[in-house]
Amino acid sequence: MATVYYTASSLDGYIVDDNASLDWLTSRDIDQAGPFGIDPFLATVGALVMGAATYQWLLANHPGEWMYTQPSWVMTHRPEIIAAEHDVWTFDGDVIDLFPTLVAAAGDKDVWVVGGGDVAAQFVAAGLIDEMVVAYAPCSLGAGSPVLPIRSEWTLAESAVNGEFVCARWKRS
């Protein structure tokens, strides 16, 4: 079992641009089943956690039934943002207090810290992220939400090319 921050990034380190758009990401080619693809990754995930902005982006861009079968949490002080048809829990507190619940829900699988960067930074600051997997897109955004807005040290474990992306798995140093 590991806690993994799995995300994408522009070359200059942003998840979304300054308009909260992922158009720079979703318009690019990637093999979902290829190296570091989402399909093989999701098979390893037992529970996931994300921030309110990430949840709201998913809600706006993937309406209807909740897209994940794994137990899911949204870190927010606004539980009313959760759609009634989504089997999602909210949590308003320190990640250290939520972590045992995530691990228990994941069983023998991994916990996925979906993001965004602020949520990932809370997990990193608490020493709870074991790996970070980043798919780097061939663009720069110049501004937006950073992938990881905290100082931290990582060791490259492996890398590969998938479609237009250079993907890397980093281990906590």
Side-chain angles (χ1 to χ4, degrees), residues 24-137:
W24 62 273
L25 173 64
T26 58
S27 63
R28 301 187 183 279
D29 291 328
I30 193 165
D31 179 358
Q32 301 297 336
F36 297 99
I38 189 71
D39 293 344
F41 175 72
L42 278 174
T44 70
V45 173
L48 54 97
V49 60
M50 66 188 70
T54 299
Y55 175 79
Q56 289 180 300
W57 187 93
L58 289 171
L59 187 62
N61 291 277
H62 299 280
E65 192 173 314
W66 184 234
M67 61 193 304
Y68 300 109
T69 58
Q70 298 89 342
S72 304
W73 280 262
V74 175
M75 295 191 63
T76 183
H77 60 277
R78 299 173 292 139
E80 70 276 3
I81 68 170
I82 305 300
E85 66 273 16
H86 289 173
D87 189 16
V88 174
W89 293 275
T90 60
F91 183 80
D92 180 15
D94 193 301
V95 297
I96 290 173
D97 297 327
L98 176 60
F99 190 67
T101 303
L102 294 170
V103 170
D108 62 349
K109 292 191 169 189
D110 295 339
V111 172
W112 176 19
V113 177
V114 181
D118 290 335
V119 167
Q122 292 175 52
F123 278 84
V124 169
L128 300 174
I129 299 284
D130 301 304
E131 298 180 359
M132 181 169 52
V133 177
V134 184
Y136 297 95

